[in-house]
Amino acid sequence: PGGRIHRSGARMTTGQTVHEQRQVGVGILLMTVAVVGFCLVMAFTTRAVVPFSAMAALFTVVWLLFYKLTVRVDREALTATFGVGLLARRILLSEVRGVAVVPVSRGLTGWVLLPRGRLLTLGGAEAVELTLDSGEVLLLGARRPRELMEVIARRCPAS
């Protein structure tokens, strides 16, 4: 009642959004504009329209998949969604055993596999590290990681 309906992987959930943060991938936007511009110029100057147009379309699709990262916390779960929403991860707050802010490399962007866990970010020097019941570690990029950590910690029974 009064909550948002949002897509999370293959399921739809309804819940009152308690906290939401977005990261916008300025770097990926600039790279996409440069590559698409180059491809379109090359398509018309070399008359190789099909391959360069296909490359421009591919980069545009990648941009749509990763141009922003939205992290939402509702009463029962945390949902991290990239771009237009095709790539999403939902975690029940009851499964979170630990939450902390940790340093990460500024050069990492996207859905990155690290030795200590998965990182979902579009930049920044810190991420929110979640340790789950299963032992899995997930790191989430956020514009205000300490604020996100505090919201999650208040809502998790075991953190």
Side-chain angles (χ1 to χ4, degrees):
R4 292 181 147 178
I5 297 177
H6 53 91
R7 199 170 126 200
S8 171
R11 339 180 12 183
M12 297 291 284
T13 60
T14 303
Q16 179 102 21
T17 299
V18 175
H19 184 81
E20 181 175 298
Q21 286 193 31
R22 285 196 177 107
Q23 279 187 310
V24 176
V26 175
I28 196 167
L29 172 63
L30 295 175
M31 180 189 73
T32 302
V33 168
V35 170
V36 168
F38 171 79
C39 288
L40 294 177
V41 167
M42 293 302 292
F44 292 107
T45 58
T46 65
R47 299 182 200 261
V49 174
V50 173
F52 283 111
S53 296
M55 191 181 308
L58 175 66
F59 271 87
T60 302
V61 168
V62 169
W63 177 76
L64 286 171
L65 290 174
F66 289 101
Y67 77 96
K68 71 176 177 177
L69 171 63
T70 304
V71 178
R72 286 188 187 100
V73 180
D74 63 31
R75 287 182 272 189
E76 65 182 35
L78 174 146
T79 305
T81 308
F82 273 111
V84 294
L86 294 177
L87 301 172
R89 176 74 192 267
R90 182 174 187 267
I91 299 162
L92 294 175
L93 295 174
S94 61
E95 296 176 356
V96 176
R97 289 295 159 246
V99 59
V101 173
V102 296
V104 293
S105 171
R106 284 186 174 274
L108 297 176
T109 298
W111 194 302
V112 182
L113 296 175
L114 299 173
R116 71 192 220 209
R118 287 190 185 121
L119 170 66
L120 284 65
T121 189
L122 289 177
E126 294 180 320
V128 177
E129 181 181 79
L130 303 175
T131 304
L132 307 181
D133 281 342
S134 64
E136 179 185 1
V137 174
L138 184 68
L139 296 100
L140 298 170
R143 290 179 63 195
R144 298 175 311 280
R146 296 196 185 284
E147 183 180 325
L148 179 59
M149 178 198 70
E150 290 168 5
V151 169
I152 295 168
R154 282 194 307 266
R155 304 199 79 74
C156 292
S159 62

